[in-house]
Amino acid sequence: MKALLNRFGIVAASASVLAPAPALAHHMMGGKVPVTFMQGLLSGLGHPIIGPDHFAAVVGVGILAALVGRGLRPVLAFSAALILGVAVHLASANAPAAELLVGLSTVLIGGLVALRLSLGALPAAVVFAGAGVVHGYALGESIVGAEPSPLGAYLAGLLLIQTVIAVAAYAATMAVQRRGPAFDRAGMAAAGAVIALIGAVTAAAPGIPG
């Protein structure tokens, strides 16, 4: 968990710098659509890492999954919903203020982590599915117009890396909980605060694609 919090600190500090950056700031291919299988794969693997808002949200999902106590099912639900969100974007559906929604959903995830709120099955499903679709829609911008091969590779890479990150956060949270209630509360409060901060920066500076 300490390593995750250190990563959060770096990301949070850089988030305010990234906020006014141009639209290509979080684009793996420098604004170009991937044209090969490898480019698509690398783009999918890189997106949740180079975008502070998406990285924070995925980590938050892993933490929340551990707090909710339903195993890794919430993580898988988020991943599936994110791919659905990409598909919605590729279908030319128009979602106004997508980046604002990305920021607000990240703030929500961070708030739930910080407060350690207990979620029932239905509220948890709504949070994970809703956040997944919103983040997926934003990530879909970078792959619009791609051929089937790089598109499939992008989706595979995206699904793989976000699942790995969320599962790592899940495992770290379980380890923190074994350290005792006091350590658990402090760790969750710190992690949730940083996640919410990153989301707030994104929400305050819409127009920057993740």
Side-chain angles (χ1 to χ4, degrees):
M1 191 67 186
K2 183 177 179 181
L4 284 175
L5 292 177
N6 288 339
R7 176 74 164 92
F8 283 163
I10 295 172
V11 173
S14 63
S16 59
V17 176
L18 289 173
L24 302 183
H26 299 173
H27 202 300
M28 280 296 293
M29 303 303 299
K32 299 179 181 178
V33 176
V35 296
T36 67
F37 180 91
M38 186 56 65
Q39 287 180 350
L41 181 62
L42 292 176
S43 184
L45 290 172
H47 255 103
I49 298 175
I50 64 172
D53 45 5
H54 298 298
F55 180 84
V58 173
V59 170
V61 163
I63 296 174
L64 273 183
L67 297 180
V68 168
R70 290 181 173 81
L72 292 174
R73 284 176 292 179
V75 170
L76 299 178
F78 175 84
S79 295
L82 190 142
I83 298 303
L84 174 61
V86 174
V88 169
H89 197 135
L90 294 178
S92 300
N94 182 32
E99 274 303 304
L100 175 61
L101 294 177
V102 165
L104 292 178
S105 66
T106 305
V107 170
L108 173 61
I109 291 171
L112 292 174
V113 169
L115 297 176
R116 300 186 89 264
L117 292 182
S118 177
L119 295 175
L122 181 58
V126 171
V127 169
F128 287 112
V133 169
V134 166
H135 281 260
Y137 182 91
L139 289 172
E141 176 64 28
S142 64
I143 202 69
V144 172
E147 295 296 324
S149 176
L151 173 59
Y154 174 85
L155 293 176
L158 188 61
L159 182 62
L160 174 62
I161 191 62
Q162 70 180 15
T163 301
V164 168
I165 293 171
V167 169
Y170 175 93
T173 303
M174 298 298 289
V176 167
Q177 291 178 325
R178 290 193 289 269
R179 294 285 297 275
F183 192 82
D184 183 16
R185 286 193 296 271
M188 295 307 101
V194 175
I195 292 170
L197 172 62
I198 294 172
V201 170
T202 301
I208 305 168

